Amino acid sequence: MHEVRVDHTDDGRTIRLHVGDVLVVTLPVNMLTGLHWEVASYDQSSLDRPEVVVKPPDPGQAMGAGGTLAVFRFPVKATTAAPAQLVLELRGGTGPAEQVYRITLDIRE
């Protein structure tokens, strides 16, 4: 199992993956704002349902100082005939997204 790690700097990029890889998306979030990252869409035929973990900041940091990370782990289970999109949205409820994170996935055997 090979982990392919991406973060906020990869927004808009194309990421090459292989069947058996695990795509790990790590995005910063400040839980005090009430905003959280959620999966808006992904190719369910090529990626398994993600495991989502919110990691708190390192001990000793002040509340609201940042450092909290949302981590999404998507196991890659199948190739795609054409590049697929993964879209995550930073939301605070039912309104429009505050921020959108989008990458294109090029999945090979």
Side-chain angles (χ1 to χ4, degrees):
M1 173 176 62
H2 180 252
E3 288 189 352
V4 177
R5 297 181 170 275
V6 296
D7 61 21
H8 67 282
T9 63
D10 296 300
D11 186 24
R13 292 189 178 163
T14 297
I15 308 301
R16 177 166 292 173
L17 300 163
H18 294 91
V19 174
D21 287 348
V22 176
L23 174 64
V24 181
V25 181
T26 303
L27 298 171
V29 64
N30 185 336
M31 299 306 286
L32 294 178
T33 64
L35 298 174
H36 62 278
W37 286 100
E38 61 184 48
V39 179
S41 65
Y42 70 101
D43 183 354
Q44 295 178 15
S45 65
S46 61
L47 299 176
D48 274 335
R49 174 173 240 178
E51 170 191 327
V52 183
V53 175
V54 176
K55 292 186 175 184
D58 293 331
Q61 285 191 336
M63 290 292 288
T68 302
L69 299 171
V71 181
F72 296 81
R73 295 176 55 84
F74 293 87
V76 180
K77 64 181 180 180
T79 60
T80 54
Q85 291 279 311
L86 167 63
V87 181
L88 303 175
E89 295 180 342
L90 185 63
R91 298 181 145 296
T94 58
E98 296 286 326
Q99 188 175 345
V100 176
Y101 176 85
R102 183 177 284 112
I103 55 176
T104 301
L105 308 177
D106 180 10
I107 302 174
R108 310 277 174 105
E109 194 58 46

